[in-house]
Amino acid sequence: MKVWNPINNKKFETFSYLPPLTDAQISKQVDMIISKSLSPCLEFAAVESSFVSNENTVRFDGTSAGYYDNRYWTMWKLPMFGCTDASQVLKEIAECRKAYPACYIRLAAFDSAKQVQVISFLVQRP
C-alpha cells in the first residue's frame, strides 16, 4: 500500500487520486450526469489560482456556514442546460482545452431542483 505524499502534491475534487481520465471515461461520466437530469458545465483556472492557499486567497469573513475561499473558477460558456449527448460535452471540453492548454479544466454538474452543484472533477491538468 502506498502513502499519499501531501507535499507539493495538490489534489482536486472527486477523481484526483486516479490517473487522468480518457475521453471514453469522461463520456461515461457525462452519460451518468445526463441520465440523472443534471446540467453539465465546464470551468477553468490558471495553475496559480486553481487552489486555495494563503497566497492567492482573499478572506472577507470565514465564519459563515458554507463559506468558500476562492473556489470559483471561470465558467466556459454557459451551463449546458438540456444537453442530451455526451459528445456535445466532449466537443466543448476539446474547445476549452484548445483555448486554455495551460489551465486546469473541470466538469461540474448542477441539480436544477436542489439549485446546487453536485458533481465536479478535472478533465484536464496542465
Side-chain angles (χ1 to χ4, degrees):
M1 211 184 262
K2 289 178 77 176
V3 175
W4 177 68
N5 177 9
I7 300 167
N8 294 322
N9 194 4
K10 295 176 179 52
K11 297 295 179 186
F12 300 85
E13 272 102 38
T14 310
F15 301 124
S16 290
Y17 295 90
L18 299 175
L21 298 175
T22 65
D23 283 350
Q25 291 168 323
I26 293 169
S27 181
K28 287 182 181 182
Q29 294 300 318
V30 174
D31 287 339
M32 181 273 303
I33 288 168
I34 293 168
S35 74
K36 295 185 178 295
S37 300
L38 304 174
S39 297
C41 178
L42 294 177
E43 301 172 324
F44 62 96
V47 173
E48 61 273 3
S49 63
S50 62
F51 59 94
V52 176
S53 75
N54 288 328
E55 290 80 33
N56 70 1
T57 304
V58 176
R59 291 181 170 91
F60 297 106
D61 181 1
T63 59
S64 61
Y67 178 75
Y68 296 107
D69 287 331
N70 196 29
R71 302 259 170 99
Y72 296 103
W73 291 8
T74 303
M75 190 181 303
W76 172 259
K77 300 183 180 178
L78 293 174
M80 293 171 249
F81 301 112
C83 179
T84 59
D85 189 338
S87 66
Q88 297 168 317
V89 178
L90 290 175
K91 179 179 174 272
E92 292 299 329
I93 291 171
E95 287 182 25
C96 190
R97 284 176 175 162
K98 185 177 177 183
Y100 299 100
C103 288
Y104 284 100
I105 302 172
R106 70 179 169 199
L107 173 64
F110 295 95
D111 184 322
S112 61
K114 296 177 184 174
Q115 298 287 308
V116 295
Q117 176 181 309
V118 293
I119 296 171
S120 180
F121 61 93
L122 291 179
V123 294
Q124 173 174 294
R125 297 175 186 157

